[in-house]
Amino acid sequence: MSTPTVMKLGPVRRSLVQLMQTRCAQTSAATAPEPARMKKFAVYRWDPEKPGDKPKMQTYEVDLNTCGPMVLDALIKIKNEMDPTLTFRRSCREGICGSCSMNIGGSNTLACLCKIDDNLGKATKIYPLPHMYVIKDLVPDMSNFYAQYRSIEPYLKKKDGSDKNIGDKQYLQTTGDRAKLDGLYECILCACCSTSCPSYWWNSDKYLGPAVLMQAYRWMVDSRDDYTSERLFQMEDRFSVYRCHTIMNCTKTCPKGLNPGLAIGEIKKMLAKYNSKEAKQLAQA
Amino acid sequence: MIRASFGKGSALLTSNAALLSSRLQPVVVTQLSHTSTRSQTEDIAYKEMEEFWDKNRRLNRPLSPHLRIYNPELTSMLSLCHRATGIAMAVTVPFVAATLLGLPGDFSSYIEYIKDLHLNPAILTAAKYVLAFPICYHYINGIRHLAWDWAIGFDLKTTYQSGYFVMALALLVTAGFVHLL
């Protein structure tokens, strides 16, 4: 880069110009076009607005070189550039909101945390969460799941009437008691676990499912909550807890690495040990 | 908490078999064990559940695929095997026992009969494997289930390790029964 024009500059300016020229040359060399890496995505589609429409699979091809690494990136790219009618839930794109839960490659997970499989020979299959009523494309009806969560009363309940003076004092808890909540409170209610459970598939009306049961356990085991016996007594029937046959699909599929199967096992242990007669009296008092 | 009463409001059905398909959405009659003290929150929750089933039936929405698309995991496959071997044994053992009770002669004459058929030894060995495997697998996996009942071994790593171990041990013991006894 030592053209006559450049050589006329003072030494500092010359070296600066030469540096800029070298860097521009490097950048232009780096952005030379790479061969496109086309990956197929087979996505479940169903449109309620089309009369007589049947659910079917639609295949899209995405160039992985111009797409982010996660399946959600691919879905957004498809929606933006190829098919705006593709419908799915999404929000945080970082695995904390639980919106984009779906069945990818046969397992339930969050699309924003699921890396696209680099194998270009195989299509990635994307389905909505299994055995759920489909509102449209990849969007399931979650109302039943939320209603079941509501039914376990997932909030602190005290017996000493202190809710009249809520906020006056902290409810103290030892570090040991707080540690009992680790692995339980992190649940983002994405429903991946419940919809991976065959027992929940067959009995989603009466069996609560791993997600809701883990949250029930979270409140049972919270030292600040006074209604442990009553919460356990609520589970005294054939279906709410006891449809769990320890299949353990839930723990396998949890995208946050939590263990609902363990929580349910602990509930069953507590149900065996607690004083149910006392709880019945308390509940009917 | 909830017992479902089927369509005609007849006897409360509590058998599992009848409730196999969740498409048979029954009229959910909420007969709670603690009806008198059911909180407002629970009332709202059960009302929402009823509305959910009504709405989805009315709109005729499709159910997303489940069995045909879900990955066969070690967890679900071993559980299925446990159930299948359990049912197989629960059906065949009483049936065979009852049949032998009714048929003439005792079981040794039937063993003689099978010997006289002069079957290919490979077929006999295969049959022995088929007979021995359910009891070995179900028994050993049963111990794993008992551990789970005490909430032992629930973390995913242990679940997988114990799963592989149980399957390997069951096959080993089956082979032992077939070839050594």
Side-chain angles (χ1 to χ4, degrees):
Chain A
M1 305 283 166
S2 305
T3 57
T5 334
V6 173
M7 295 311 282
K8 279 196 203 142
L9 297 169
V12 174
R13 283 201 189 152
R14 190 195 317 151
S15 52
L16 186 64
V17 168
Q18 281 174 334
L19 174 70
M20 283 168 55
Q21 284 174 329
T22 322
R23 297 294 281 133
C24 287
Q26 283 174 340
T27 329
S28 58
T31 51
E34 291 168 14
R37 291 188 299 143
M38 301 306 285
K39 171 83 180 175
K40 283 200 176 75
F41 289 93
V43 185
Y44 177 99
R45 302 295 310 271
W46 180 68
D47 189 351
E49 317 258 286
K50 271 199 221 138
D53 189 28
K54 289 249 159 53
K56 58 186 185 309
M57 298 302 282
Q58 189 166 351
T59 311
Y60 302 97
E61 283 213 20
V62 173
D63 180 9
L64 294 184
N65 289 334
T66 54
C67 181
M70 304 299 185
V71 172
L72 185 64
D73 296 318
L75 285 171
I76 291 174
K77 188 177 165 73
I78 294 169
K79 191 175 171 74
N80 283 344
E81 296 171 18
M82 294 179 228
D83 185 356
T85 63
L86 180 63
T87 310
F88 51 93
R89 287 195 177 113
R90 85 283 175 264
S91 183
C92 73
R93 64 91 175 105
E94 60 183 16
I96 198 63
C97 71
S99 303
C100 61
S101 47
M102 51 185 77
N103 186 292
I104 300 170
S107 288
N108 291 349
T109 182
L110 299 169
C112 60
L113 292 181
C114 181
K115 287 207 186 67
I116 300 174
D117 183 4
D118 267 0
N119 183 351
L120 300 177
K122 279 206 299 205
T124 295
K125 295 201 189 126
I126 303 177
Y127 286 92
L129 291 174
H131 209 284
M132 299 282 267
Y133 285 111
V134 177
I135 298 177
K136 184 179 181 183
D137 291 346
L138 300 170
V139 177
D141 189 348
M142 300 280 281
S143 325
N144 187 40
F145 179 75
Y146 298 143
Q148 285 170 333
Y149 181 57
R150 181 181 244 154
S151 74
I152 58 150
E153 296 181 286
Y155 41 82
L156 198 66
K157 297 203 288 183
K158 305 282 294 176
K159 280 189 178 159
D160 56 0
S162 66
D163 48 295
K164 296 188 184 60
N165 310 310
I166 270 182
D168 280 4
K169 274 193 320 189
Q170 278 181 322
Y171 294 131
L172 297 177
Q173 188 174 51
T174 66
T175 42
D177 283 333
R178 172 60 185 82
K180 287 190 196 152
L181 299 178
D182 288 336
L184 302 175
Y185 78 89
E186 298 98 324
C187 176
I188 58 174
L189 295 171
C190 65
C192 281
C193 60
S194 289
T195 48
S196 72
C197 177
S199 223
Y200 188 74
W201 292 347
W202 317 138
N203 296 303
S204 39
D205 54 335
K206 290 186 286 295
Y207 174 48
L208 291 175
V212 171
L213 286 171
M214 188 157 90
Q215 290 311 296
Y217 180 65
R218 175 251 177 278
W219 289 105
M220 285 170 195
V221 105
D222 193 335
S223 60
R224 302 165 295 176
D225 182 82
D226 296 331
Y227 279 76
T228 308
S229 298
E230 286 83 341
R231 291 183 191 273
L232 282 164
F233 185 68
Q234 192 190 1
M235 309 275 163
E236 290 274 14
D237 64 273
R238 292 193 63 207
F239 281 91
S240 309
V241 174
Y242 290 111
R243 281 313 97 197
C244 171
H245 300 298
T246 335
I247 299 174
M248 289 299 275
N249 257 10
C250 49
T251 306
K252 174 72 176 69
T253 210
C254 178
K256 304 293 287 179
L258 306 176
N259 199 334
L262 172 62
I264 300 176
E266 297 283 1
I267 295 177
K268 288 179 183 168
K269 243 180 32 177
M270 284 172 82
L271 280 168
K273 288 185 187 165
Y274 88 123
N275 188 345
S276 58
K277 282 206 192 71
E278 180 194 309
K280 188 173 178 175
Q281 283 167 359
L282 285 170
Q284 289 173 340
Chain B
M1 195 160 48
I2 306 170
R3 296 238 178 97
S5 121
F6 274 82
K8 288 152 193 159
S10 54
L12 288 163
L13 274 164
T14 51
S15 72
N16 242 356
L19 295 155
L20 272 175
S21 169
S22 61
R23 283 187 193 271
L24 287 173
Q25 270 327 303
V27 172
V28 177
V29 173
T30 49
Q31 288 197 353
L32 301 177
S33 30
H34 58 288
T35 327
S36 53
T37 53
R38 202 170 77 182
S39 70
Q40 199 183 29
T41 313
E42 287 180 74
D43 279 335
I44 300 171
Y46 295 130
K47 197 161 145 292
E48 279 179 1
M49 287 184 215
E50 282 204 43
E51 284 169 6
F52 169 85
W53 294 111
D54 285 339
K55 180 176 177 188
N56 281 297
R57 244 180 315 175
R58 190 173 27 94
L59 290 173
N60 229 341
R61 285 177 173 158
L63 218 54
S64 53
H66 36 100
L67 276 175
R68 65 177 179 88
I69 57 108
Y70 204 86
N71 246 353
E73 312 272 8
L74 185 78
T75 48
S76 53
M77 290 300 107
L78 287 186
S79 178
L80 182 67
C81 201
H82 193 80
R83 192 171 271 248
T85 51
I87 294 174
M89 287 194 290
V91 164
T92 50
V93 170
F95 175 73
V96 167
T99 320
L100 282 176
L101 199 67
L103 291 173
D106 66 348
F107 77 94
S108 51
S109 61
Y110 292 102
I111 304 284
E112 284 298 316
Y113 172 74
I114 293 173
K115 273 200 193 142
D116 290 339
L117 285 174
H118 295 299
L119 289 167
N120 188 351
I123 298 180
L124 284 172
T125 316
K128 282 185 197 170
Y129 267 100
V130 167
L131 288 173
F133 180 73
I135 190 159
C136 293
Y137 174 78
H138 197 93
Y139 195 88
I140 298 171
N141 203 30
I143 301 172
R144 188 165 166 243
H145 260 91
L146 281 174
W148 279 337
D149 288 340
W150 288 107
I152 299 171
F154 259 122
D155 61 284
L156 196 63
K157 190 152 160 273
T158 311
T159 302
Y160 261 70
Q161 280 175 341
S162 61
Y164 285 125
F165 177 74
V166 159
M167 190 43 114
L169 188 64
L171 287 169
L172 219 68
V173 173
T174 310
F177 272 134
V178 171
H179 296 292
L180 296 175
L181 282 178

